[in-house]
Amino acid sequence: MSEPLALDPAWRPTLSRHVLLRHDRVRGVDLLVLPERVVVLHGPAGSIVRLCDGEREVREIVHDLAARHPEAPVAAEVPLFLGRLREEGWLR
């Protein structure tokens, strides 16, 4: 897998028009629902995607998550995760 392009920290990610974020209460997981496909989000991925509301910049998302999880490598991992979702076309 190729490395994602460097993200502009001022980018305000939001779900693409054809993507819905849903929580499956039966399985206890978050899902990205796409045309003819469902992607299961594991671990904290759903809580990260929920912050992608088109209002917050990447740097604000990272700051918020770092405050909630001070021991986690948020600054390094979250931008990479968001970049991969953008490459898939799930975020714009």
Side-chain angles (χ1 to χ4, degrees):
M1 178 184 294
S2 65
E3 284 299 313
L5 300 173
L7 292 182
D8 175 1
W11 172 45
R12 296 174 186 263
T14 188
L15 288 173
S16 293
R17 287 179 174 79
H18 65 279
V19 179
L20 299 173
L21 176 62
R22 296 287 182 252
H23 183 74
D24 181 338
R25 286 187 276 163
V26 173
R27 294 178 189 92
V29 296
D30 291 309
L31 308 168
L32 290 179
V33 181
L34 304 108
E36 301 183 27
R37 183 174 179 193
V38 174
V39 177
V40 177
L41 299 175
H42 298 279
S47 62
I48 296 168
V49 173
R50 273 190 193 79
L51 295 174
C52 297
D53 57 8
E55 299 294 320
R56 295 177 182 94
E57 296 178 348
V58 171
R59 67 177 127 234
E60 293 171 299
I61 293 170
V62 168
H63 179 75
D64 186 17
L65 291 167
R68 289 187 213 175
H69 310 283
E71 301 299 319
V74 172
E77 293 182 4
V78 170
L80 290 174
F81 173 70
L82 295 177
R84 287 193 178 102
L85 294 184
R86 187 181 202 178
E87 285 179 353
E88 292 289 339
W90 304 336
L91 288 178
R92 57 184 170 98

